Amino acid sequence: MAHPPPPRLWYLSNHRDALQAHMHILHKLGNAKTEANYHAYYQTLIKDGTANGATSNAYLTSSDVPFKTKCIIMKYRTGTLYNQKHAVLFKLSTSQTCPLCPQVDSALHILSGANTRK
């Protein structure tokens, strides 16, 4: 039985650009929109001292926070928590209204608890 060849390793002279290009080609990673609002807001919080990176990311290493909760927090922080806005964008719905209440759906709306009384 033949073994697959070992992975080819090579030197990256420009770590950021070369690694980004490599990761995007293979895994579609490395092209994060650093001009997006989420990134800009967080960078502003770090620069003015409002956010402390060690404190705001402490939940990632905490054994008290379940893995599923960590995933939800990361999705919320990156703007990828699925909601009706995404459903409309992906053409899976025609309405941005929350399925549980008559308000507009959003990540904040989901995490604050939708008003289930119609």
Side-chain angles (χ1 to χ4, degrees), residues 16-87:
R16 182 170 186 225
D17 294 339
L19 182 60
Q20 178 180 353
H22 172 75
M23 291 305 289
H24 184 69
I25 290 167
L26 292 180
H27 306 286
K28 307 293 186 233
L29 299 172
N31 283 335
K33 295 181 181 177
T34 55
E35 71 279 355
N37 289 340
Y38 289 95
H39 179 76
Y41 295 151
Y42 192 68
Q43 291 304 312
T44 301
L45 291 175
I46 289 173
K47 285 177 187 169
D48 70 11
T50 305
N52 178 318
T55 305
S56 69
N57 295 322
Y59 73 94
L60 289 169
T61 55
S62 172
S63 59
D64 295 333
V65 181
F67 179 74
K68 261 189 149 175
T69 303
K70 292 176 185 180
C71 290
I72 290 170
I73 293 169
M74 284 303 293
K75 287 179 180 181
Y76 177 76
R77 288 177 70 176
T78 58
T80 57
L81 186 62
Y82 187 78
N83 56 46
Q84 285 301 109
K85 181 179 177 182
H86 290 121

